[in-house]
Amino acid sequence: MVAVSDSPEGAAALAAGVAEANQLATDLIIVNLSLTEVDTSSIPPALTYKIIERKGRDDRDPAEAVLDEIQDHAVDRLVIGIKRRSPVGKALLGSISQRLLLDSPIPVLAVKLGAQDD
């Protein structure tokens, strides 16, 4: 399962999720955390995937949505994109990635952008 936000980190998570699914020869579940359509053009045609959409801003909290979907599907790994945030930024805005890292009942692969991608 991969949690995809509308950000460069979300794109990196999707790429890593595709690579993991290919390596493990498994299907991919994409939880779309953005309010736009996920760009699936980089997903190979041979890879089977399912996209779980949120219904809008009034839908579940993004972290809760991912945690709920983990419970509803037989997945054994979660892929997320992360970025460095200041302590003040975390305190004011929270961190979906941090919550997923701490609360996920399955292993989490955290993908960060390289220095050239910042």
Side-chain angles (χ1 to χ4, degrees):
M1 176 177 285
V2 60
V4 178
S5 61
D6 188 17
S7 67
E9 292 81 17
L14 180 58
V18 167
E20 286 288 301
N22 279 328
Q23 182 177 355
L24 299 172
T26 188
D27 296 345
L28 180 64
I29 297 174
I30 301 167
V31 181
N32 184 5
L33 299 180
S34 71
L35 300 178
T36 60
E37 191 173 313
V38 173
D39 179 7
T40 58
S41 62
S42 64
I43 298 177
L47 180 62
T48 303
Y49 63 91
K50 173 183 178 181
I51 299 176
I52 299 170
E53 300 284 353
R54 291 181 62 230
K55 296 170 184 60
R57 294 191 188 280
D58 294 331
D59 196 353
R60 302 168 287 180
D61 169 78
E64 290 300 322
V66 173
L67 295 171
D68 288 347
E69 296 302 334
I70 288 171
Q71 296 302 318
D72 292 346
H73 297 85
V75 296
D76 57 4
R77 185 168 308 166
L78 173 63
V79 181
I80 61 172
I82 61 170
K83 66 180 174 181
R84 184 173 301 278
R85 296 182 56 198
S86 70
V88 172
K90 284 186 229 174
L92 293 176
L93 301 175
S95 172
I96 295 168
S97 298
Q98 182 176 354
R99 287 179 53 205
L100 291 173
L101 281 168
L102 296 174
D103 295 341
S104 175
I106 59 175
V108 178
L109 172 61
V111 178
K112 67 179 183 172
L113 296 176
Q116 71 279 4
D117 298 325
D118 289 339

